[in-house]
Amino acid sequence: MYIKRLTYFDRQESAGHCITRVPEVMADAAKKAKRAVMKLYQCPMYRSFRCMWLIHELDAVDDFEIVKLDSIKGKDTEAYEEYKRSVHPHGTIPALQTEGEGAIIESGAICLYLADRYGKLAPPLGQRMDYYDWALYASVTIDEAMELLYWQWAVTPEKPDPQGVDKMVTKMDTCMKRLTKTLEGRQYVCGDSLTAVDCILGYSVWAATDDMFNKGSLLKDYPEVRDYVKRLEQRSAFKMALKAQFQ
């Protein structure tokens, strides 16, 4: 696990203060020991960032073992083949392996599962129409368009497909118009509080601001969406997850 755990015994704490907190520290350690450890396979800056970000929003980092797929892919053939056999049949990321339950291999599904598991960051039952709709819309419709554009603009620009690009840009325009309407009078997708769907959708629109997506042109006509991205970027959990990607 690459995320260092914090300790109460900070150099700035006095000896007396540390002694008074020993029972609290021991109780906290006991609680952590009872938690089921989950293993998240990820790769920096890919869709697994949705899951990393949500884990930080849930304040649940200590419940996870984080495995960077590139630490085994191309380096440990046996381990990578075992990963494909027992975790992810396509050998890609993300994947969440939960003790006694098996594996989930879709980033959107992982986020929804974790929100349910922890009982946090989901709207009340009966108020989840936008929550479910945008979780799947981002994972299916938006991701499809962005993947083609990513390959065209960043990976294989020497093999242009102008018709395909135009089709996906048009699709993204439709998506961003719809998102603009959803965000009217709201800070986040489901209201004024962040939910797991903001980690799913938020990753997509945040990625769209990158220079590799034609210098962020996909959002140039959508100031409300750009403001939404800025709100997400200012969240402490987003910043911590982004930093943790490279630790």
Side-chain angles (χ1 to χ4, degrees), residues 171-185:
K171 177 175 278 192
M172 282 296 293
D173 279 334
T174 302
C175 294
M176 293 305 101
K177 287 174 183 176
R178 185 169 185 248
L179 179 55
T180 296
K181 186 174 181 180
T182 296
L183 289 171
E184 287 179 2

Side-chain angles (χ1 to χ4, degrees), residues 193-212:
S193 297
L194 180 135
T195 63
V197 73
D198 293 295
C199 296
I200 301 170
L201 170 66
Y203 165 76
S204 299
V205 291
W206 170 71
T209 65
D210 195 273
D211 282 349
M212 66 183 175

Side-chain angles (χ1 to χ4, degrees), residues 67-220:
V67 181
K68 293 183 180 180
L69 186 60
D70 58 8
S71 69
I72 57 175
K73 187 177 181 181
K75 297 178 181 179
D76 187 335
T77 302
E78 184 176 344
Y80 181 58
E81 290 303 317
E82 178 59 28
Y83 174 71
K84 289 198 291 184
R85 281 193 300 270
S86 62
V87 181
H88 199 312
H90 302 292
T92 57
I93 47 91
L96 177 71
Q97 198 170 24
T98 305
E99 186 176 339
E101 294 185 14
I104 308 176
I105 62 174
E106 286 290 339
S107 60
I110 292 171
C111 289
L112 296 180
Y113 167 82
L114 290 176
D116 284 350
R117 182 182 178 103
Y118 284 87
K120 298 179 182 179
L121 301 183
L125 288 173
Q127 300 177 31
R128 295 188 180 183
M129 181 179 290
D130 285 339
Y131 179 74
Y132 291 129
D133 187 31
W134 276 100
L136 296 180
Y137 192 64
S139 301
V140 179
T141 304
I142 294 178
D143 275 4
E144 177 196 30
M146 291 191 64
E147 183 160 358
L148 187 145
L149 293 173
Y150 168 72
W151 279 92
Q152 277 289 293
W153 286 338
V155 181
T156 59
E158 72 281 0
K159 299 177 181 179
D161 177 10
Q163 290 184 331
V165 168
D166 287 345
K167 181 179 179 180
M168 292 302 110
V169 168
T170 299
K171 177 175 278 192
M172 282 296 293
D173 279 334
T174 302
C175 294
M176 293 305 101
K177 287 174 183 176
R178 185 169 185 248
L179 179 55
T180 296
K181 186 174 181 180
T182 296
L183 289 171
E184 287 179 2
R186 302 180 183 182
Q187 294 293 302
Y188 301 100
V189 170
C190 295
D192 290 332
S193 297
L194 180 135
T195 63
V197 73
D198 293 295
C199 296
I200 301 170
L201 170 66
Y203 165 76
S204 299
V205 291
W206 170 71
T209 65
D210 195 273
D211 282 349
M212 66 183 175
F213 285 100
N214 200 27
K215 300 187 184 299
S217 64
L218 293 172
L219 304 186
K220 65 181 177 63

